[in-house]
């Protein structure tokens, strides 16, 4: 018999995620040789970005405030301004269609300078989803230490995106759920101490 040590009434994070989901998540794996730069619309409610190999940068309004994207880290970005993801701060960033056309043949690149990165889009519904998002900063970067489950999830996502297999949308959807929960847990741990299995009361109801 499995005994849960987490009272249902205190797992606010599970409750908010379960009630706020509107539809499946969308994920993409990209390989790009420099120079490269991608511009994504700020209409995405919550984006997840992580680099599997190489380096990248992310900024919203100001290239001077760019955040470096490196392997082992996960960056969450709330909707708002457009986000720019290039190989170097200040580089030209293309719309997704133009970016795909320019880097259409980079997928098999053996160039050691090429960057492999993952981008996910999470969609919520209603006021509950808005409240959950407002509990997060505009840009949140979290490091996954050696042995951190987030590293394993990132590796699984990257592997799953290398080929199309039956049931792939379901696998990607569940893996992004796991990655998001682990990232939010890490944020809460760094924000303030709280009992195991609970979340701070800063998630709006």
């Amino acid at each position: 018999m499995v005994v849960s040590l987490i009272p249902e009434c205190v797992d606010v994070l599970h409750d908010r995620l379960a009630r706020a989901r509107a539809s499946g998540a969308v994920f993409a794996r990209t390989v790009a040789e420099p120079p490269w730069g991608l511009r994504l619309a700020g209409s995405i409610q919550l984006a997840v970005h992580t680099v599997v190999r190489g380096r990248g940068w992310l900024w919203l309004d100001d290239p001077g405030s760019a955040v470096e994207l490196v392997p082992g880290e996960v960056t969450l970005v709330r909707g708002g301004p457009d986000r720019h993801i290039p190989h170097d701060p200040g580089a030209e960033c293309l719309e997704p269609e133009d970016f795909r056309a320019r880097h259409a043949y980079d997928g098999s690149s053996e160039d050691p300078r090429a960057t492999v990165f993952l981008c996910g889009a999470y969609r919520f519904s209603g006021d509950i989803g808005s409240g959950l998002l407002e509990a997060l900063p505009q840009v949140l970067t979290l490091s996954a230490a050696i042995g951190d489950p987030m590293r394993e999830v990132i590796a699984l996502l990257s592997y799953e995106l290398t080929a199309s297999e039956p049931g792939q949308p379901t696998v990607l959807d569940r893996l992004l759920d796991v990655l998001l929960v682990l990232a939010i847990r890490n944020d809460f741990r760094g924000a303030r101490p709280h009992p195991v299995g609970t979340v701070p009361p800063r998630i709006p109801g």
Side-chain angles (χ1 to χ4, degrees), residues 22 38 60 70 104 106 121 151 165 188:
L38 174 65
L60 303 181
V70 298
D106 290 0
R151 283 182 177 263
E165 297 285 351
F188 289 160

Side-chain angles (χ1 to χ4, degrees), residues 16 37 42-43 48 61 78 81 87-88 101 109 117 120 123 126 161-162 182 192 203:
R16 294 296 178 268
S43 57
V48 181
D61 299 312
R78 284 196 293 117
H87 76 284
D88 190 64
S109 174
F117 61 98
R123 296 187 288 246
L161 287 161
T162 57
L182 292 177
R192 71 179 81 168
I203 298 181

